[in-house]
Amino acid sequence: MDLVIVESPAKAKTISKFLGKKYEVVASYGHIRDLPKSSFGVDIEKDFRPKYVVPKEKKPIVDELKKLANKSKTVYIATDEDREGEAIGWHITQATKVDTEKIKRIAFHEITKNAILESLKSPREINMDMVSSQEARRILDRIVGYKLSPLLAKKIQRGLSAGRVQSVALKLIVNREEKINNFKPQEYWTIHLLFEDDVEAMLEKIEGKQLEKLEIDSKDKANKIIKEIKKEHFTVTLIKKSKTKRKPEPPFITSTMQMTASNLLGFSAQKTMRIAQTLYEGVDIEKDRVGLITYMRTDSFNIAKEAILKARGTLKELLGNEYVPEKANAYKTKSKLAQEAHEAIRPTDPSLLPDMIKPYLNEDEFKLYDLIWRRFMASQIKPAEFKNTSVILGSGKFEAKANFKELVFDGFLRIWTFFNTQEKKAPDLKKNQAVKLIDVEGKQHFTEPPPRYTEASLIKELEKHGIGRPSTYATIIGTLLKRSYVVLKDKKFCPQEIGIVTSMMLDKFFSDIINVKFTAQMEEGLDKVANKKLDKIELLKKFYNKFKKLLDNAYENMEKIKPEDEPTNEKCPVCGAILVIRHGKYGKFLACSNYPKCKYTKPLKEEITDIKCDKCGAPMVVKYSRKGTRFLACSNYPKCKNTKPYPTGLKCPLCGGELVERSSKRGKFYGCSNYPNCKFTIRGKIKNQVCPICGYTLFINKKDKWCCANSKCKYCEENEGA
């Protein structure tokens, strides 16, 4: 029997259905070796030699893989075809100590029967240049994380962390906020003329001179011009007609998928990648297990010829020949560093229309598949065509312009329905025709600061500068939010005080390496290592020598920043001492000035819920116990002293009741609201998620990984490194 090893159990389940009894398909559950969490794990003096360890929870998996590998004739490493996948495969061979002659590497862009069988026909060796590149990235991130974080803890605040790429992303957000705060708006006016036949035009010229954007800078100026315009008589002085085409966008790559899903579906980058992973690894459709999309971590617009042919055939059936170009549309990747051997993100079977598989997907899976399918199919359709008409209306002194746009052929917009064409048909006007002025209106405007970054615009900015790679965007954003350096307000990133201070100090002492240009150069260097154009040790030495000098200087010269307590007029309800505003890892909070004798704390602002008190009907507010456990209390206190456990919105996996926050001598935990009838309890960070292996409906965070809370199940979702 031959053994096939993949990363995830869902992927293993799909592939096993394509292969016969000759193959056993098993999962490694992501990385099985990594640098130790308890120590630095890199010997800088010995050419940055990493010390890899097998985490405790992974040892049973390694033992099982080793046992299966020893019994197998051939061991196929079928991890993802990127650096991370290549590294996972190499670590599997090292940890299990499989005979190298047994090892064969296979790779594929889609999990379909044909793709899997074809890959088995042409196995290769593990690409050690890709492994070296991933290892270099891991070591770089370890150096920055483990050397900078203690500095920040000593000089600013405990619990802070820094990252090679995340700190640059934070810098972009903080710099944008500074521009917003320093921005001074300027007033300007535009003059709009309404003529008969619903012709709306905007004033463009006065006495033959083109108006500048900020030229009409007051209401008085606008009113003076309006008064003069009302005395004038206008005629059509010019009619200009033209045709334009709007070409379809290329199929998705990772960044554009994340951006579009954010803008159109409201998905976070992490949510998009999680759903895409499911679609890639496969879902059950009737009796078949089907991988619905190609690999979702890619920066290439390449498309397989077979997929293009099938897409064109499907489009001819759906829309007719007039929508399909004679020659297939091709798209060139803008990035010099794109891995052209990869494909863009597309449906594995273009003829599998979204509505055909809707019953087999949940709502979010359907939305993302529908988006990917439409984007790919639209990319292979003819452009949309518009008839444009520009009309100049003049009076001798004043000249206004009206624009009209009419869709004459919808082309790719037939499939990509998210584009707003804003059509307006031109009236039947002739040159030198007199037109009656109906109304003139001045509209006040103010110049606006640059907007705060959204997830979509931050990813676009990172990609534009060559920072990060397809696998890292979601993790970069997740880390900034997790560390509370930034928060999302109206889906826009707003830096918190601790994020601003951290970024400011890093910029002051590490601006040579924590900047857009240097980080992009490091990404290029990593790509060169993967392409055998640069030695890994040379790259690491060049970085470390520069970094070490900056680090030593920072330890010596960075001033300590300790935000001072701000006294308030409130008294501590426990001991009567004054409450003060303190700065913690997650921002400001109220604490007793009698600390450490009294450890009372509470949030700066009480969070009012929409839950009503079941005794007096007043709104319940969120309170915190001395041990930090949340609970609900009546806002009508002290008249009403009703309290109840804090509802989490998470379900008990045993009885379906609601999990609530509780506390004991051992600290905070979650228990079932149906206690004592149900005695389920769990500690740690939890979330409702159905395990794809055992069906358990709860996950728990273990060492920065979301794992099935069922103690008999080994399934964990691997977090990607930034």
Side-chain angles (χ1 to χ4, degrees):
M1 181 177 287
D2 291 336
L3 182 67
V4 178
I5 303 176
V6 297
E7 307 98 312
S8 79
K11 189 175 176 181
K13 185 178 179 182
T14 304
I15 292 174
S16 63
K17 293 205 171 186
F18 301 145
L19 303 176
K21 294 181 180 179
K22 184 187 171 186
Y23 297 91
E24 183 163 1
V25 187
V26 295
S28 69
Y29 293 85
H31 277 281
I32 60 171
R33 289 202 318 175
D34 199 1
L35 299 173
K37 289 193 175 181
S38 57
S39 61
F40 183 47
V42 178
D43 193 335
I44 290 170
E45 300 301 321
K46 293 183 179 177
D47 287 338
F48 301 88
R49 184 186 298 166
K51 176 190 175 184
Y52 291 113
V53 296
V54 176
K56 185 179 178 182
E57 68 272 14
K58 294 287 187 176
K59 285 180 180 175
I61 297 171
V62 171
D63 291 341
E64 181 67 16
L65 291 176
K66 193 172 185 178
K67 186 172 78 174
L68 292 170
N70 287 332
K71 292 193 301 183
S72 304
K73 182 182 176 184
T74 305
V75 177
Y76 291 99
I77 303 294
T79 48
D80 293 339
E81 193 180 15
D82 57 14
R83 290 176 212 166
E84 206 69 24
E86 209 74 18
I88 290 173
W90 179 74
H91 282 296
I92 289 169
T93 66
Q94 299 302 298
T96 57
K97 298 178 181 177
V98 182
D99 185 353
T100 53
E101 292 185 3
K102 279 187 174 186
I103 300 292
K104 290 184 179 181
R105 173 77 164 110
I106 58 172
F108 33 82
H109 302 306
E110 60 186 56
I111 304 179
T112 58
K113 187 171 183 178
N114 285 341
I116 304 303
L117 295 178
E118 282 299 314
S119 69
L120 287 168
K121 292 177 185 177
S122 53
R124 59 172 173 82
E125 293 182 354
I126 289 176
N127 186 326
M128 290 309 299
D129 294 313
M130 290 177 72
V131 173
S132 291
S133 178
Q134 189 276 342
E135 186 172 79
R137 177 188 286 278
R138 189 73 186 92
I139 292 170
L140 284 170
D141 291 341
R142 175 55 63 106
I143 289 170
V144 175
Y146 272 58
K147 297 292 185 181
L148 268 189
S149 298
L151 171 72
L152 298 178
K154 182 179 180 181
K155 300 289 187 176
I156 304 176
Q157 183 178 289
R158 285 183 301 169
L160 299 183
S161 74
R164 184 178 60 85
V165 181
Q166 87 182 44
S167 297
V168 179
L170 176 61
K171 179 180 167 70
L172 288 170
I173 294 169
V174 170
N175 287 353
R176 177 62 61 88
E177 193 72 14
E178 187 178 358
K179 286 181 182 177
I180 293 169
N181 292 335
N182 294 335
F183 182 80
K184 292 179 180 178
Q186 288 182 266
E187 181 184 7
Y188 70 98
W189 289 71
T190 52
I191 311 296
H192 301 263
L193 293 77
L194 178 63
F195 296 93
E196 60 185 337
D197 294 328
D198 197 29
V199 175
E200 294 179 26
M202 192 164 84
L203 184 65
E204 287 203 332
K205 291 181 180 180
I206 300 177
E207 294 181 338
K209 184 187 172 187
Q210 187 75 36
L211 279 173
E212 300 295 329
K213 180 181 178 181
L214 304 178
E215 190 169 335
I216 308 173
D217 57 4
S218 70
K219 186 176 183 179
D220 288 342
K221 281 187 181 180
N223 286 341
K224 185 180 177 182
I225 293 169
I226 291 170
K227 191 175 179 181
E228 290 182 24
I229 289 174
K230 286 181 176 179
K231 298 175 184 176
E232 300 287 315
H233 296 281
F234 287 82
T235 58
V236 177
T237 59
L238 180 68
I239 298 174
K240 187 178 179 181
K241 295 184 178 182
S242 63
K243 284 187 178 181
T244 56
K245 292 183 178 182
R246 184 179 179 91
K247 294 181 179 179
E249 296 288 335
F252 283 137
I253 55 176
T254 304
S255 59
T256 54
M257 177 180 71
Q258 291 173 340
M259 285 185 256
T260 309
S262 174
N263 290 331
L264 296 181
L265 306 179
F267 289 178
S268 68
Q270 288 184 319
K271 180 176 181 176
T272 299
M273 295 308 288
R274 185 171 67 248
I275 297 168
Q277 185 86 33
T278 300
L279 297 176
Y280 167 68
E281 292 182 342
V283 297
D284 290 315
I285 296 178
E286 294 182 352
K287 296 179 180 179
D288 295 324
R289 182 87 177 168
V290 181
L292 292 175
I293 65 169
T294 53
Y295 190 51
M296 62 285 159
R297 294 185 182 93
T298 177
D299 49 14
S300 170
F301 291 136
N302 278 356
I303 296 292
K305 288 181 181 178
E306 298 81 7
I308 290 176
L309 288 172
K310 196 155 192 178
R312 286 167 64 84
T314 302
L315 288 169
K316 286 175 183 178
E317 288 181 22
L318 287 175
L319 308 178
N321 290 338
E322 65 270 25
Y323 281 86
V324 184
E326 287 184 23
K327 186 179 178 183
N329 296 336
Y331 300 90
K332 193 172 182 181
T333 305
K334 293 178 182 178
S335 171
K336 297 181 294 182
L337 307 170
Q339 300 175 64
E340 293 295 345
H342 288 182
E343 274 198 73
I345 303 167
R346 61 168 175 83
T348 55
D349 183 356
S351 66
L352 211 54
L353 275 58
D355 286 341
M356 291 168 61
I357 57 171
K358 190 173 184 178
Y360 308 100
L361 305 176
N362 65 35
E363 185 180 356
D364 288 340
E365 288 167 352
F366 171 76
K367 284 179 179 178
L368 188 60
Y369 178 77
D370 182 65
L371 201 66
I372 292 168
W373 184 88
R374 287 178 184 276
R375 179 70 167 237
F376 171 65
M377 298 301 276
S379 75
Q380 294 305 314
I381 300 178
K382 287 181 180 179
E385 296 178 14
F386 296 89
K387 182 171 77 175
N388 303 302
T389 305
S390 294
V391 180
I392 304 296
L393 304 114
S395 68
K397 184 176 181 180
F398 298 102
E399 194 174 282
K401 186 177 182 181
N403 292 313
F404 304 91
K405 178 189 272 190
E406 186 180 350
L407 182 68
V408 292
F409 176 64
D410 55 2
F412 77 95
L413 297 177
R414 183 79 176 270
I415 293 286
W416 190 253
T417 55
F418 307 102
F419 179 69
N420 184 3
T421 57
Q422 295 182 324
E423 284 186 84
K424 189 173 183 182
K425 191 175 180 180
D428 186 18
L429 296 172
K430 292 180 175 61
K431 190 176 179 182
N432 300 322
Q433 176 184 337
V435 284
K436 184 180 178 182
L437 180 64
I438 306 296
D439 193 18
V440 189
E441 180 187 10
K443 292 184 180 179
Q444 185 187 39
H445 309 275
F446 290 93
T447 54
E448 295 183 352
R452 284 174 172 161
Y453 286 110
T454 61
E455 281 205 10
S457 61
L458 182 61
I459 289 169
K460 188 175 183 179
E461 190 74 7
L462 293 170
E463 185 188 43
K464 183 177 86 173
H465 292 293
I467 298 169
R469 285 297 176 262
S471 62
T472 64
Y473 298 129
T475 308
I476 292 166
I477 289 168
T479 303
L480 292 176
L481 291 167
K482 181 181 174 184
R483 300 292 182 192
S484 294
Y485 287 147
V486 301
V487 295
L488 281 170
K489 289 184 178 179
D490 298 323
K491 297 187 177 180
K492 295 181 176 71
F493 288 112
C494 180
Q496 298 300 278
E497 185 177 354
I498 194 64
I500 293 170
V501 171
T502 301
S503 183
M504 179 183 72
M505 299 310 289
L506 289 175
D507 192 42
K508 186 175 180 179
F509 288 91
F510 295 91
S511 59
D512 285 356
I513 61 169
I514 296 180
N515 64 61
V516 167
K517 186 177 179 182
F518 185 80
T519 307
Q521 287 172 348
M522 290 305 298
E523 295 289 358
E524 288 182 25
L526 291 166
D527 288 333
K528 286 178 180 178
V529 172
N531 295 324
K532 230 174 187 175
K533 293 179 180 178
L534 181 65
D535 180 64
K536 174 184 72 177
I537 306 303
E538 183 185 337
L539 175 77
L540 292 170
K541 280 182 178 177
K542 186 177 179 181
F543 173 81
Y544 186 74
N545 290 339
K546 193 170 190 174
F547 175 74
K548 183 68 166 63
K549 290 176 185 176
L550 297 173
L551 186 68
D552 292 343
N553 177 56
Y555 266 107
E556 187 175 340
N557 297 308
M558 185 185 284
E559 61 270 29
K560 273 194 175 184
I561 298 177
K562 186 178 180 182
E564 300 208 359
D565 296 342
E566 302 170 39
T568 70
N569 295 323
E570 282 191 67
K571 289 187 177 181
C572 175
V574 177
C575 71
I578 293 293
L579 290 180
V580 295
I581 298 173
R582 289 226 168 101
H583 298 252
K585 180 179 178 182
Y586 301 107
K588 295 179 181 180
F589 64 97
L590 284 172
C592 182
S593 58
N594 203 16
Y595 179 86
K597 288 183 180 178
C598 178
K599 297 181 179 178
Y600 175 81
T601 63
K602 76 168 190 174
L604 264 178
K605 292 181 181 178
E606 282 192 334
E607 184 184 341
I608 301 173
T609 71
D610 55 5
I611 300 171
K612 302 294 182 183
C613 174
D614 47 20
K615 289 189 177 179
C616 72
M620 302 289 276
V621 296
V622 180
K623 297 277 188 181
Y624 289 80
S625 71
R626 295 183 192 182
K627 294 174 182 175
T629 304
R630 289 179 295 183
F631 65 93
L632 294 178
C634 182
S635 59
N636 205 16
Y637 179 87
K639 290 182 180 178
C640 178
K641 298 181 179 179
N642 183 32
T643 63
K644 59 199 302 186
Y646 184 84
T648 63
L650 305 178
K651 293 180 180 179
C652 171
L654 297 188
C655 72
E658 187 168 33
L659 293 181
V660 295
E661 287 191 17
R662 300 190 186 277
S663 61
S664 67
K665 291 180 180 179
R666 291 177 57 202
K668 187 173 76 172
F669 69 96
Y670 297 95
C672 183
S673 59
N674 289 332
Y675 179 85
N677 294 329
C678 178
K679 297 183 179 179
F680 176 83
T681 61
I682 191 168
R683 293 179 187 274
K685 293 181 182 179
I686 55 174
K687 68 175 177 178
N688 265 120
Q689 183 173 326
V690 178
C691 177
I693 303 304
C694 68
Y696 207 68
T697 57
L698 194 66
F699 268 50
I700 186 166
N701 194 277
K702 297 179 180 178
K703 297 181 179 179
D704 289 334
K705 295 175 186 175
W706 285 106
C707 302
C708 178
N710 182 358
S711 59
K712 297 177 182 178
C713 181
K714 300 173 184 175
Y715 180 68
C716 286
E717 287 184 341
E718 286 292 328
N719 285 342
E720 303 156 349

